[in-house]
């Protein structure tokens, strides 16, 4: 597990008054935990500062050595609740009291992760989208325990990165995935019932709705295993919700290791 730490050269406060800005955490030092696709993307999200701050970026496998004085820790590791809880529980012991914790999870409940720490008021979701350097949206997730000070600090931090933050409560999938995943699965169910081909469904949504990708193309791009993981988690939380019901074709493809573009085959085959 890689820990990327970065010193920002500009504070995030954009308040109109000194008294307002004093209520927020001035995020100057950020630690990103997780060196995968999302973690690496988050670490390089602010093009404006890349050349000026390259000398201030360091990589370590020792969390204690990099988070003791950081202002914000952004976690972007594997989508496993227990692993995330154990990580934050450990970080909570040797991170400064003022430090804000944020998870980049796309499917897990932020409150459940925050409960592993003693700083629920300084814990929130900070959901970036792939590819992070290009995608402008960031979902800032406020739990019932997240303080207004923490929330405003993360909203300002997102703007400093050149992103457009939106706010959402700690509901399954937040805004984008809560709307997107049921849409994708409804397309799959339409196809499973034999009512339209996947090719025609993709064409219809691109030409009729103006979407850049059809639902089956997007499923293959995201990864069928990722979609199944999200759907299974939601189904476990709310088994009676018709939007969260399992898909036979999705389950079959994942079982066959046909996960989409990354394996060369999913709903479509790729060279």
């Amino acid at each position: 597990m890689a820990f990327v730490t970065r010193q920002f050269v500009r504070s995030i406060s954009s308040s109109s008054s000194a008294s307002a800005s004093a209520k927020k955490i001035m995020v100057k030092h950020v630690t990103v935990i997780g060196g995968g696709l999302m973690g690496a993307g988050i670490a390089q999200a602010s093009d404006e500062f890349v050349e000026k701050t390259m000398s201030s970026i360091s990589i370590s496998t020792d969390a204690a050595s990099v988070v003791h004085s950081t202002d914000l820790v952004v976690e972007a590791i594997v989508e496993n609740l227990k692993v995330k809880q154990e990580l934050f529980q450990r970080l909570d012991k040797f991170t400064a009291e003022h430090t804000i914790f944020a998870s980049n999870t796309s499917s897990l409940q932020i409150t459940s992760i925050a409960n592993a720490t003693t700083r629920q008021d300084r814990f929130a979701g900070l959901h970036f989208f792939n590819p992070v350097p290009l995608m402008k949206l960031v979902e800032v997730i406020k739990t019932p325990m997240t303080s207004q000070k923490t929330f405003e600090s993360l909203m300002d931090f997102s703007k400093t990165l050149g992103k457009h933050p939106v706010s959402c409560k700690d509901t399954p999938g937040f805004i984008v995935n809560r709307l997107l995943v049921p849409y994708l699965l409804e397309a799959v169910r339409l196809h499973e019932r034999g009512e339209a081909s996947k090719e025609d469904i993709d064409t219809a949504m691109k030409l009729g709705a103006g979407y850049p990708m059809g639902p089956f193309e997007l499923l293959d791009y995201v990864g069928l295993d990722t979609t199944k993981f999200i759907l299974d988690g939601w189904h476990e939380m709310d088994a009676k919700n018709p939007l969260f019901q399992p898909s036979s074709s999705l389950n079959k493809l994942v079982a066959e290791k046909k996960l989409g573009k990354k394996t060369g085959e999913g709903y479509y085959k790729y060279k």
Side-chain angles (χ1 to χ4, degrees):
M1 185 182 298
F3 303 85
V4 182
T5 182
R6 179 169 195 164
Q7 185 74 36
F8 279 80
V9 297
R10 187 174 78 185
S11 76
I12 67 163
S13 180
S14 60
S15 301
S16 58
S17 67
S19 60
S21 64
K23 297 179 181 179
K24 304 175 187 178
I25 297 295
M26 306 288 284
V27 179
K28 297 180 181 179
H29 190 193
V30 181
T31 299
V32 179
I33 298 182
L37 185 64
M38 292 303 293
I42 295 168
Q44 61 172 303
S46 182
D47 290 338
E48 180 181 352
F49 303 134
V50 169
E51 293 185 5
K52 294 181 180 179
T53 60
M54 280 300 292
S55 61
S56 299
I57 297 177
S58 61
I59 299 176
S60 173
T61 56
D62 179 13
S65 68
V66 296
V67 302
H68 64 279
S69 62
T70 194
D71 301 313
L72 170 64
V73 173
V74 181
E75 167 271 315
I77 63 173
V78 62
E79 285 285 86
N80 182 294
L81 178 60
K82 184 179 179 181
V83 174
K84 290 180 187 291
Q85 287 175 328
E86 290 176 349
L87 170 66
F88 279 115
Q89 190 174 44
R90 186 157 50 94
L91 294 176
D92 198 34
K93 297 177 181 178
F94 47 77
T95 306
E97 184 178 350
H98 78 279
T99 302
I100 295 173
F101 284 174
S103 175
N104 184 60
T105 182
S106 61
S107 60
L108 300 175
Q109 187 181 48
I110 301 296
T111 303
S112 298
I113 306 173
N115 284 340
T117 74
T118 61
R119 62 183 76 207
Q120 288 92 340
D121 62 319
R122 286 152 287 158
F123 204 115
L126 201 59
H127 184 214
F128 292 83
F129 290 80
N130 181 41
V132 181
L134 299 180
M135 298 294 280
K136 292 295 185 182
L137 184 67
V138 175
E139 292 176 322
V140 181
I141 314 306
K142 187 177 182 182
T143 76
M145 300 90 72
T146 305
S147 70
Q148 187 65 18
K149 172 182 175 179
T150 295
F151 171 73
E152 291 179 3
S153 296
L154 291 177
M155 291 290 283
D156 282 353
F157 170 69
S158 300
K159 293 174 184 177
T160 298
L161 296 181
K163 305 299 184 183
H164 188 119
V166 294
S167 172
C168 184
K169 292 184 178 180
D170 193 12
T171 186
F174 316 134
I175 297 175
V176 174
N177 282 342
R178 180 58 190 270
L179 297 176
L180 180 61
V181 173
Y183 151 71
L184 296 175
L185 267 296
E186 192 58 24
V188 171
R189 295 183 186 110
L190 185 70
H191 175 58
E192 288 175 344
R193 293 193 298 267
E195 295 169 351
S197 69
K198 57 182 180 291
E199 292 83 3
D200 282 351
I201 293 172
D202 278 351
T203 298
M205 295 311 296
K206 286 188 289 186
L207 300 184
Y211 290 1
M213 300 175 71
F216 291 95
E217 293 171 329
L218 184 55
L219 281 162
D220 279 355
Y221 177 79
V222 170
L224 304 189
D225 53 336
T226 301
T227 304
K228 174 176 164 52
F229 176 84
I230 294 172
L231 185 64
D232 288 349
W234 293 359
H235 181 65
E236 185 177 343
M237 286 189 291
D238 187 2
K240 295 182 179 180
N241 193 323
L243 297 176
F244 300 164
Q245 298 308 304
S247 159
S248 59
S249 66
L250 179 66
N251 289 344
K252 182 176 184 293
L253 288 169
V254 172
E256 295 172 351
K257 307 299 183 185
K258 298 175 181 177
L259 309 181
K261 273 197 164 185
K262 60 187 175 184
T263 59
E265 184 175 357
Y267 281 103
Y268 294 113
K269 291 184 178 181
Y270 303 88
K271 294 182 180 179

